Amino acid sequence: MDKFVITGGRKLEGEAEISGSKNATLPLIAATLLSRDRFLLKNVPDLKDILTMTAVLRTLGALCEIDTSKKILEINTSKIKRYEAHYDLVRKMRASVVVLGPLLARYGRAKVSLPGGCAIGTRPIDIHLAGLQRLGADISVNQGYIEALAPRGLKGAEIVLKFPSVGATQNIMMAATLACGKTVIKNAAKEPENKTLAEFLNKMGAKIEGAGTHIIMIEGVDELKGVDFDIPPDRIETGTFLMAGAITAGKVSVRPAIPAENKALLEKLREMGYEFAQGKDFITILPEKPAKPTNVKTAVYPGFPTDLQAQFMVLCCLCKGKSVMTETIFENRFMHTSELKRLGADIKVEGNKAIINGGKRLIGAPVMASDLRASAALILAGLVAKGRTEVMRVYHIDRGYERFEEKLSKLGASVKRIQR
């Protein structure tokens, strides 16, 4: 099992190239199931999660060819002949459950394993299933599999989500594109990745309005076609590299980037004393030392993203004074705190709050990553810890960050992957 070895104390400087968005790419791959045609996705990141999703499609009969050097994924869904997504693949990544809606809408049936993924919370899918049932699907759960049937097709409906779930919004929106009549999703997730999905579907021939707001309207169509599409930059990777600059008091630029998608993070960093230069497709963080402590509460978009909480906590550990982080999305997303304590951080967890008494020097030590974003946080902590830090179980990082160690090294970090 690979590990990262980091020697801390180096200030990062330079420009980090941001890869295509993982969380935008995954539902687009699933959406190709809505048509028997050819698709070409561009700027696709080379990540394990992408490989897992393409493997799911291959088991259904799709042809998927990835050119990592050109960042291109070609998908041909003309020979889909199976409608079951097996446990051995779906267990690896929760996002693969979004094949449920497209399969159901296009073929009238689907059998998908209950999902797995990072151990950061239970993340129930009842919102997905309730929404599909409102569209007329007959759904049951048997022996760990979701079985859905709609032999006469789906029918448009008004659906009010009890929580603005990103995945549920995606599943329902995709299913509704081929439903008969009009569907209205209320309390929909507003994340940029859902807006990207709507743009992709509309390019395929769907009729969707309101994506990126809490009310999405879909007028069902008879068929959809294959298209070419460019994946936008990853906003979570953008935020992670900005914090790498902040943590090491270095001047770091990220490009390509969409500043508006990172507004909540930038506002918090400004509150701490940081300044930025930014343009249409880049953000540069300017060094600020010492930074001020702050309080953060994660929330659905456009609030502070839970996927940046662990990385931001590392920055709070360095700020002299008390910071409080409140996690409102996932109940188990403070597992990285025990590992940060091994590096010398002073953190106390009380329910869904983490109280950080910052300003203490971090000292290198062996640590264990528990999930994707925790992996990034521990690596960032190692960048400023005195001496040598070893981060184990870094297979998590390969799920969501493309060539992470290479990009950090290019900025001046001492990070090596040790293969075992």
Side-chain angles (χ1 to χ4, degrees):
M1 191 179 295
D2 293 2
K3 66 178 179 180
F4 280 179
V5 176
I6 306 138
T7 302
R10 295 191 180 186
K11 181 185 295 188
L12 302 192
E13 301 276 357
E15 182 174 294
E17 178 187 356
I18 301 303
S19 299
S21 169
K22 172 183 85 92
N23 289 339
T25 305
L26 294 174
L28 266 57
I29 295 174
T32 65
L33 294 169
L34 290 163
S35 172
R36 288 184 176 271
D37 213 336
R38 172 197 165 278
F39 296 81
L40 191 67
L41 302 182
K42 304 173 184 178
N43 195 34
V44 174
D46 183 14
L47 300 170
K48 284 188 176 180
D49 276 8
I50 303 299
L51 296 177
T52 298
M53 185 63 91
T54 56
V56 171
L57 260 67
R58 286 192 182 101
T59 65
L60 301 174
L63 300 176
C64 302
E65 294 184 8
I66 302 175
D67 187 332
T68 55
S69 63
K70 294 182 179 179
K71 300 183 179 181
I72 289 175
L73 170 59
E74 184 174 354
I75 301 173
N76 189 320
T77 55
S78 63
K79 296 182 179 179
I80 296 293
K81 52 195 173 187
R82 289 181 291 276
Y83 318 100
E84 180 175 340
H86 292 282
Y87 168 73
D88 57 348
L89 287 172
V90 180
R91 69 178 176 84
K92 297 179 180 179
M93 184 185 65
R94 177 181 173 79
S96 51
V97 78
V98 294
V99 301
L100 179 62
L103 283 175
L104 181 63
R106 182 67 183 80
Y107 301 101
R109 54 178 166 155
K111 184 177 180 180
V112 179
S113 170
L114 290 169
C118 284
I120 56 174
T122 56
R123 301 189 288 181
I125 63 165
D126 59 315
I127 303 174
H128 299 239
L129 305 187
L132 295 174
Q133 285 176 320
R134 286 283 297 159
L135 294 176
D138 181 9
I139 294 177
S140 60
V141 179
N142 300 302
Q143 296 181 315
Y145 278 83
I146 305 159
E147 296 184 39
L149 293 172
R152 297 181 180 179
L154 300 173
K155 295 183 179 180
E158 180 176 299
I159 300 168
V160 181
L161 303 184
K162 67 178 182 180
F163 176 82
S165 162
V166 174
T169 301
Q170 293 170 352
N171 243 332
I172 297 165
M173 180 164 55
M174 287 188 282
T177 60
L178 295 179
C180 179
K182 183 176 181 179
T183 298
V184 178
I185 307 173
K186 296 184 177 180
N187 198 31
K190 298 167 65 176
E191 272 72 5
E193 294 79 13
N194 285 5
K195 188 174 181 180
T196 298
L197 175 59
E199 291 170 357
F200 181 70
L201 293 169
N202 282 341
K203 192 172 183 181
M204 290 173 64
K207 297 179 179 178
I208 303 172
E209 297 180 356
T213 75
H214 276 321
I215 300 178
I216 302 176
M217 294 165 287
I218 308 110
E219 188 69 43
V221 298
D222 292 333
E223 62 180 1
L224 298 170
K225 63 182 180 180
V227 295
D228 295 0
F229 195 82
D230 289 301
I231 307 297
D234 194 303
R235 64 190 175 97
I236 302 302
E237 185 185 19
T238 295
T240 300
F241 274 97
L242 287 174
M243 281 185 281
I247 286 165
T248 64
K251 182 180 178 181
V252 171
S253 297
V254 290
R255 189 193 304 262
I258 304 174
E261 292 184 357
N262 283 275
K263 184 178 178 181
L265 171 64
L266 297 180
E267 287 178 349
K268 274 297 169 185
L269 289 171
R270 283 194 184 97
E271 184 180 298
M272 300 172 81
Y274 291 96
E275 295 184 357
F276 305 89
Q278 58 182 282
K280 183 178 179 180
D281 69 342
F282 77 91
I283 309 170
T284 302
I285 188 165
L286 306 175
E288 169 69 21
K289 202 172 183 178
K292 304 171 186 175
T294 189
N295 297 332
V296 176
K297 183 177 183 179
T298 64
V300 296
Y301 189 86
F304 193 94
T306 182
D307 279 353
L308 288 177
Q309 176 254 107
Q311 303 92 306
F312 197 84
M313 185 180 290
V314 177
L315 181 57
C316 291
C317 288
L318 305 178
C319 301
K320 189 174 182 179
K322 178 182 174 182
S323 297
V324 178
M325 302 204 70
T326 304
E327 173 60 50
T328 71
I329 308 298
F330 295 124
E331 70 272 18
N332 292 341
R333 207 156 204 180
F334 283 148
M335 291 188 289
H336 51 277
T337 58
S338 60
E339 300 303 293
L340 289 175
K341 288 180 182 180
R342 287 178 52 78
L343 299 176
D346 184 351
I347 306 170
K348 183 180 180 181
V349 176
E350 297 179 350
N352 70 332
K353 295 182 185 294
I355 301 161
I356 305 112
N357 292 307
K360 294 178 172 56
R361 181 71 183 272
L362 300 183
I363 307 296
V367 291
M368 188 80 70
S370 57
D371 59 76
L372 169 57
R373 305 307 173 184
S375 300
L378 294 174
I379 293 166
L380 296 190
L383 296 177
V384 289
K386 181 180 179 181
R388 175 186 171 110
T389 298
E390 294 184 7
V391 182
M392 266 74 77
R393 293 174 65 182
V394 296
Y395 60 84
H396 289 293
I397 207 77
D398 296 327
R399 290 186 52 227
Y401 291 91
E402 184 178 27
R403 299 179 287 106
F404 195 47
E405 72 275 24
E406 293 179 27
K407 292 182 181 182
L408 287 172
S409 296
K410 186 177 178 181
L411 296 175
S414 175
V415 182
K416 293 182 180 180
R417 180 188 291 261
I418 306 298
Q419 296 180 331
R420 298 191 294 175

